[in-house]
Amino acid sequence: MGVKRVFLAVDVPAAVREAAARHSAGVRRRFPGARVSWVRAENLHITLRFYGEVEEAMLSVIADAARLAAAAVERFSIEVGEPGSFGTKVLFLSINDDEGKLRHLNAEIEAASAAAGLKAERLSFKPHLTLARIRSGKGVGPLVEAFLGEDFAAIEFEVREMVLYESRLSPAGSQYLAIERFPLGG
């Protein structure tokens, strides 16, 4: 059996992808030499749970857990908002989830995953939309400041489903292939 690198995510609508790409483009043009991997617009997503490398036989277990979690949560709205960064490592757009609906969905995923015998996620859940990963932290202060300084007009959208993706690493960057979609509210 093969091994696949998989994660559960919320896709973002075209309007968010386009606005995020425009936001990145201005900063990219100003810092052409920076060692930064910018996420391609079609790859933008909000990670709900990263499972990492799993045996193919485990995919049905993960899918069952995802289906259970999705059925337990009704559709809800969130907002993609102001730019943020994890130090000089990652540039992202914040997710405004005032009612904690995304956090609740993540908790349902964790509970269903644990019940299925999958090991717990180490990191606490901080929903965000990653736009770039910085490969070298040297001299990137101005780039991070420029990114954080650009206004981003918040966009609200409805979360209707989550998607189980396989991440394939290639020289051209990551490719994300949808394995299965899980509508919220069953």
Side-chain angles (χ1 to χ4, degrees), residues 73-129:
V73 177
E74 293 302 321
R75 294 173 167 195
F76 58 91
S77 290
I78 54 174
E79 193 180 66
V80 175
E82 63 281 352
S85 73
F86 295 134
T88 56
K89 295 268 183 266
V90 174
L91 303 178
F92 61 84
L93 293 173
S94 304
I95 305 300
N96 303 328
D97 174 30
D98 296 339
E99 293 174 18
K101 295 280 173 69
L102 208 55
R103 194 167 295 285
H104 174 59
L105 178 57
N106 170 262
E108 290 286 345
I109 293 165
E110 282 305 321
S113 295
L118 295 157
K119 61 178 189 290
E121 175 70 84
R122 304 190 321 280
L123 305 167
S124 65
F125 181 61
K126 290 192 180 67
H128 59 280
L129 187 65

Coordinates of all heavy atoms in Angstrom, one line a residue, residues 73-129:
V73 N -22.2 19.6 12.2 CA -22.0 21.0 12.1 C -22.8 21.6 11.0 O -22.7 21.1 9.8 CB -20.5 21.4 12.0 CG1 -20.4 22.9 11.9 CG2 -19.7 20.9 13.2
E74 N -23.7 22.6 11.2 CA -24.4 23.2 10.2 C -23.5 24.2 9.4 O -22.5 24.7 10.0 CB -25.6 24.0 10.7 CG -26.7 23.0 11.3 CD -27.2 22.0 10.3 OE1 -27.4 22.4 9.1 OE2 -27.5 20.9 10.7
R75 N -23.9 24.6 8.2 CA -23.2 25.7 7.5 C -23.1 26.9 8.3 O -24.0 27.2 9.1 CB -24.0 26.0 6.2 CG -24.1 24.9 5.2 CD -25.0 25.4 4.1 NE -24.9 24.4 3.0 CZ -25.3 24.7 1.7 NH1 -26.0 25.9 1.5 NH2 -25.2 23.9 0.8
F76 N -22.0 27.7 8.1 CA -21.8 28.9 8.8 C -21.0 29.9 8.0 O -20.3 29.5 7.0 CB -21.1 28.6 10.2 CG -19.8 27.9 10.1 CD1 -18.6 28.6 10.0 CD2 -19.7 26.5 10.0 CE1 -17.4 28.0 9.9 CE2 -18.5 25.9 9.9 CZ -17.3 26.6 9.9
S77 N -20.9 31.1 8.4 CA -20.1 32.1 7.7 C -18.9 32.5 8.5 O -18.9 32.6 9.8 CB -21.0 33.4 7.4 OG -21.9 33.1 6.5
I78 N -17.8 32.8 7.8 CA -16.6 33.3 8.4 C -16.1 34.5 7.5 O -16.7 34.7 6.4 CB -15.5 32.3 8.5 CG1 -15.2 31.6 7.2 CG2 -15.8 31.3 9.6 CD1 -14.0 30.7 7.2
E79 N -15.1 35.2 7.9 CA -14.6 36.3 7.2 C -13.1 36.2 7.1 O -12.4 35.9 8.1 CB -15.0 37.6 8.0 CG -14.8 38.8 7.3 CD -15.2 40.0 8.1 OE1 -14.5 40.3 9.1 OE2 -16.2 40.7 7.8
V80 N -12.6 36.4 5.9 CA -11.2 36.5 5.7 C -10.8 37.9 5.9 O -11.4 38.8 5.2 CB -10.8 36.0 4.3 CG1 -9.3 36.2 4.0 CG2 -11.1 34.5 4.1
G81 N -9.9 38.2 6.8 CA -9.6 39.6 7.2 C -8.2 40.0 7.1 O -7.5 39.6 6.2
E82 N -7.7 40.8 8.1 CA -6.5 41.5 8.0 C -5.2 40.6 7.9 O -5.2 39.4 8.4 CB -6.3 42.4 9.2 CG -6.2 41.8 10.6 CD -7.6 41.4 11.1 OE1 -8.6 41.7 10.5 OE2 -7.6 40.7 12.1
P83 N -4.2 41.1 7.2 CA -3.0 40.3 7.1 C -2.3 40.1 8.4 O -2.4 40.9 9.3 CB -2.1 41.2 6.2 CG -2.9 42.4 5.8 CD -4.1 42.4 6.6
G84 N -1.6 38.9 8.5 CA -0.9 38.6 9.7 C 0.4 37.8 9.4 O 0.6 37.5 8.2
S85 N 1.2 37.5 10.4 CA 2.4 36.7 10.1 C 2.7 35.9 11.4 O 2.4 36.3 12.5 CB 3.6 37.6 9.7 OG 4.1 38.3 10.9
F86 N 3.3 34.7 11.1 CA 3.9 34.0 12.2 C 5.4 34.3 12.1 O 6.2 33.7 11.4 CB 3.7 32.4 12.0 CG 2.3 32.0 12.1 CD1 1.7 31.2 11.2 CD2 1.4 32.5 13.1 CE1 0.4 30.7 11.3 CE2 0.1 32.1 13.2 CZ -0.4 31.2 12.3
G87 N 5.8 35.4 12.8 CA 7.2 35.8 12.8 C 7.6 36.1 11.4 O 6.9 36.7 10.6
T88 N 8.8 35.6 11.0 CA 9.3 35.8 9.7 C 9.2 34.4 8.9 O 10.1 34.2 8.1 CB 10.8 36.3 9.7 OG1 11.6 35.3 10.5 CG2 10.9 37.6 10.3
K89 N 8.2 33.6 9.3 CA 8.1 32.3 8.6 C 6.9 32.2 7.6 O 7.1 31.7 6.6 CB 7.9 31.2 9.7 CG 9.1 31.0 10.6 CD 10.0 29.9 10.1 CE 11.2 29.6 11.0 NZ 12.4 30.4 10.7
V90 N 5.8 32.7 8.1 CA 4.6 32.6 7.3 C 3.8 33.9 7.2 O 3.7 34.6 8.2 CB 3.7 31.5 7.9 CG1 2.3 31.4 7.2 CG2 4.4 30.1 7.9
L91 N 3.3 34.2 6.0 CA 2.4 35.4 5.9 C 1.0 34.8 5.6 O 0.9 33.9 4.8 CB 2.9 36.2 4.7 CG 4.3 36.7 4.7 CD1 4.7 37.5 3.5 CD2 4.6 37.6 6.0
F92 N 0.0 35.4 6.2 CA -1.3 34.9 6.0 C -2.4 36.0 6.1 O -2.1 37.1 6.5 CB -1.6 33.8 7.1 CG -1.5 34.3 8.5 CD1 -2.6 34.9 9.1 CD2 -0.4 34.1 9.3 CE1 -2.6 35.4 10.5 CE2 -0.3 34.6 10.6 CZ -1.4 35.2 11.2
L93 N -3.6 35.6 5.8 CA -4.8 36.5 6.1 C -5.5 35.9 7.2 O -5.7 34.6 7.3 CB -5.7 36.6 4.8 CG -5.0 37.3 3.7 CD1 -5.9 37.2 2.4 CD2 -4.8 38.8 4.0
S94 N -5.9 36.7 8.2 CA -6.6 36.2 9.4 C -8.0 35.7 9.0 O -8.6 36.2 8.1 CB -6.7 37.3 10.4 OG -5.5 37.9 10.7
I95 N -8.5 34.8 9.9 CA -9.9 34.3 9.7 C -10.6 34.9 10.9 O -10.3 34.6 12.0 CB -9.9 32.8 9.7 CG1 -9.1 32.2 8.6 CG2 -11.4 32.4 9.5 CD1 -9.4 32.7 7.2
N96 N -11.7 35.7 10.6 CA -12.5 36.2 11.7 C -13.7 35.2 11.9 O -14.5 35.0 11.0 CB -13.0 37.6 11.4 CG -11.9 38.5 11.1 OD1 -10.8 38.4 11.7 ND2 -12.1 39.5 10.2
D97 N -13.7 34.6 13.0 CA -14.7 33.5 13.3 C -15.2 33.8 14.7 O -15.0 33.1 15.7 CB -13.9 32.2 13.3 CG -14.8 31.0 13.7 OD1 -16.0 31.1 13.5 OD2 -14.3 30.0 14.3
D98 N -15.9 35.0 14.8 CA -16.3 35.5 16.1 C -17.2 34.5 16.9 O -17.1 34.4 18.1 CB -17.1 36.8 15.9 CG -16.3 37.9 15.3 OD1 -15.0 37.8 15.4 OD2 -16.8 38.8 14.7
E99 N -18.0 33.7 16.2 CA -18.8 32.8 16.9 C -18.2 31.4 17.2 O -18.8 30.5 17.8 CB -20.1 32.5 16.1 CG -21.0 33.8 16.1 CD -22.2 33.6 15.2 OE1 -22.6 32.5 14.9 OE2 -22.8 34.6 14.8
G100 N -16.9 31.3 16.8 CA -16.1 30.1 17.0 C -16.6 28.9 16.3 O -16.4 27.7 16.7
K101 N -17.3 29.1 15.1 CA -17.9 28.0 14.4 C -16.8 27.1 13.8 O -16.9 25.9 13.7 CB -18.8 28.5 13.3 CG -20.0 29.2 13.8 CD -21.1 28.2 14.2 CE -22.3 28.9 14.9 NZ -23.1 29.7 14.0
L102 N -15.7 27.7 13.3 CA -14.6 27.0 12.7 C -13.9 26.2 13.7 O -13.5 25.0 13.5 CB -13.6 28.0 12.0 CG -12.9 27.5 10.8 CD1 -13.8 26.9 9.7 CD2 -12.0 28.6 10.2
R103 N -13.7 26.8 14.9 CA -13.1 26.1 16.0 C -13.9 24.9 16.5 O -13.4 23.8 16.8 CB -13.0 27.1 17.2 CG -12.1 26.7 18.3 CD -11.7 27.9 19.2 NE -11.0 28.9 18.5 CZ -9.7 28.8 18.3 NH1 -9.0 27.7 18.6 NH2 -9.0 29.8 17.6
H104 N -15.3 25.1 16.4 CA -16.2 24.0 16.8 C -16.0 22.9 15.8 O -16.0 21.7 16.1 CB -17.6 24.5 16.8 CG -18.6 23.5 17.0 ND1 -18.6 22.7 18.1 CD2 -19.7 23.1 16.2 CE1 -19.7 21.8 18.0 NE2 -20.3 22.0 16.9
L105 N -16.0 23.2 14.5 CA -15.8 22.2 13.4 C -14.5 21.4 13.7 O -14.4 20.2 13.6 CB -15.8 22.8 12.0 CG -15.6 21.9 10.8 CD1 -16.6 20.7 10.8 CD2 -15.7 22.7 9.5
N106 N -13.4 22.2 13.9 CA -12.1 21.6 14.2 C -12.2 20.6 15.4 O -11.6 19.5 15.4 CB -11.1 22.6 14.5 CG -9.7 22.1 15.0 OD1 -9.5 22.1 16.2 ND2 -8.9 21.5 14.1
A107 N -12.9 21.0 16.5 CA -13.1 20.2 17.7 C -13.8 18.9 17.3 O -13.5 17.8 17.8 CB -13.8 21.0 18.8
E108 N -14.9 19.0 16.5 CA -15.6 17.8 16.0 C -14.7 16.9 15.3 O -14.8 15.6 15.4 CB -16.8 18.2 15.1 CG -17.9 18.9 15.9 CD -18.7 18.0 16.8 OE1 -18.7 16.7 16.6 OE2 -19.5 18.5 17.6
I109 N -13.8 17.4 14.4 CA -12.9 16.6 13.6 C -11.9 15.9 14.6 O -11.6 14.7 14.4 CB -12.1 17.5 12.6 CG1 -13.0 18.1 11.5 CG2 -10.9 16.7 12.0 CD1 -12.4 19.2 10.8
E110 N -11.4 16.7 15.6 CA -10.5 16.1 16.5 C -11.1 14.9 17.3 O -10.5 13.9 17.5 CB -10.0 17.1 17.5 CG -8.9 18.0 17.0 CD -7.7 17.3 16.4 OE1 -7.2 16.3 17.0 OE2 -7.1 17.7 15.4
A111 N -12.4 15.2 17.7 CA -13.1 14.1 18.5 C -13.3 12.9 17.7 O -13.1 11.8 18.1 CB -14.4 14.7 19.0
A112 N -13.8 13.1 16.4 CA -14.0 11.9 15.5 C -12.7 11.2 15.2 O -12.7 10.0 15.1 CB -14.7 12.4 14.3
S113 N -11.6 12.0 15.0 CA -10.3 11.4 14.7 C -9.8 10.6 15.8 O -9.3 9.5 15.7 CB -9.3 12.5 14.3 OG -9.7 13.2 13.1
A114 N -9.9 11.1 17.0 CA -9.5 10.4 18.2 C -10.3 9.1 18.4 O -9.7 8.1 18.7 CB -9.6 11.3 19.5
A115 N -11.6 9.2 18.2 CA -12.5 8.0 18.4 C -12.1 7.0 17.4 O -12.2 5.8 17.7 CB -13.9 8.4 18.2
A116 N -11.6 7.4 16.2 CA -11.2 6.4 15.2 C -9.7 5.9 15.4 O -9.2 5.2 14.6 CB -11.3 7.1 13.8
G117 N -9.1 6.4 16.5 CA -7.8 5.9 16.8 C -6.6 6.6 16.2 O -5.5 6.2 16.2
L118 N -7.0 7.8 15.6 CA -5.9 8.6 14.9 C -5.3 9.5 16.0 O -5.9 9.9 16.9 CB -6.5 9.5 13.8 CG -7.1 8.7 12.7 CD1 -8.2 9.6 11.9 CD2 -6.0 8.3 11.7
K119 N -3.9 9.7 15.9 CA -3.3 10.4 16.9 C -3.6 11.9 16.9 O -3.9 12.4 15.9 CB -1.8 10.2 16.9 CG -1.0 10.6 15.7 CD 0.5 10.3 16.0 CE 1.4 10.9 14.9 NZ 1.3 10.2 13.6
A120 N -3.6 12.5 18.1 CA -4.1 13.8 18.3 C -3.2 14.8 17.6 O -2.0 14.6 17.5 CB -4.2 14.2 19.8
E121 N -3.8 15.9 17.2 CA -3.0 17.0 16.5 C -2.2 17.7 17.6 O -2.7 17.9 18.7 CB -4.0 18.0 15.9 CG -3.4 19.3 15.4 CD -2.7 19.1 14.1 OE1 -3.3 19.0 13.0 OE2 -1.4 19.0 14.2
R122 N -0.9 17.9 17.4 CA 0.0 18.5 18.4 C -0.3 20.0 18.6 O -0.3 20.5 19.7 CB 1.5 18.4 18.0 CG 2.0 17.1 17.7 CD 3.5 17.1 17.6 NE 4.0 18.3 16.9 CZ 4.1 18.5 15.6 NH1 3.5 17.6 14.8 NH2 4.6 19.5 15.0
L123 N -0.5 20.7 17.5 CA -0.6 22.1 17.5 C -2.0 22.6 17.8 O -3.0 22.0 17.4 CB -0.1 22.7 16.2 CG 1.3 22.3 15.7 CD1 1.5 22.7 14.3 CD2 2.3 22.9 16.6
S124 N -2.1 23.7 18.6 CA -3.4 24.2 18.8 C -3.9 24.9 17.5 O -3.2 25.3 16.7 CB -3.4 25.3 19.9 OG -2.6 26.4 19.6
F125 N -5.2 24.9 17.3 CA -5.9 25.3 16.1 C -5.9 26.8 16.0 O -6.5 27.5 16.8 CB -7.3 24.7 16.0 CG -8.0 25.0 14.8 CD1 -7.5 24.6 13.5 CD2 -9.2 25.7 14.8 CE1 -8.2 24.9 12.3 CE2 -9.9 26.0 13.6 CZ -9.4 25.6 12.4
K126 N -5.2 27.3 14.9 CA -5.2 28.8 14.7 C -5.6 29.0 13.2 O -4.7 28.9 12.3 CB -3.9 29.4 14.9 CG -3.5 29.5 16.4 CD -2.2 30.4 16.5 CE -1.8 30.5 18.0 NZ -1.3 29.2 18.5
P127 N -6.9 29.1 12.9 CA -7.3 29.2 11.5 C -6.7 30.4 10.8 O -6.7 31.5 11.3 CB -8.8 29.2 11.5 CG -9.1 29.7 12.9 CD -8.0 29.3 13.8
H128 N -6.2 30.2 9.6 CA -5.6 31.3 8.8 C -5.5 30.8 7.3 O -5.6 29.6 7.1 CB -4.2 31.6 9.3 CG -3.2 30.5 9.3 ND1 -3.2 29.5 10.3 CD2 -2.3 30.1 8.4 CE1 -2.3 28.6 10.0 NE2 -1.7 28.9 8.8
L129 N -5.3 31.8 6.5 CA -5.2 31.5 5.0 C -3.7 31.9 4.7 O -3.4 33.0 4.5 CB -6.2 32.4 4.3 CG -6.3 32.2 2.8 CD1 -6.9 30.8 2.5 CD2 -7.2 33.2 2.1

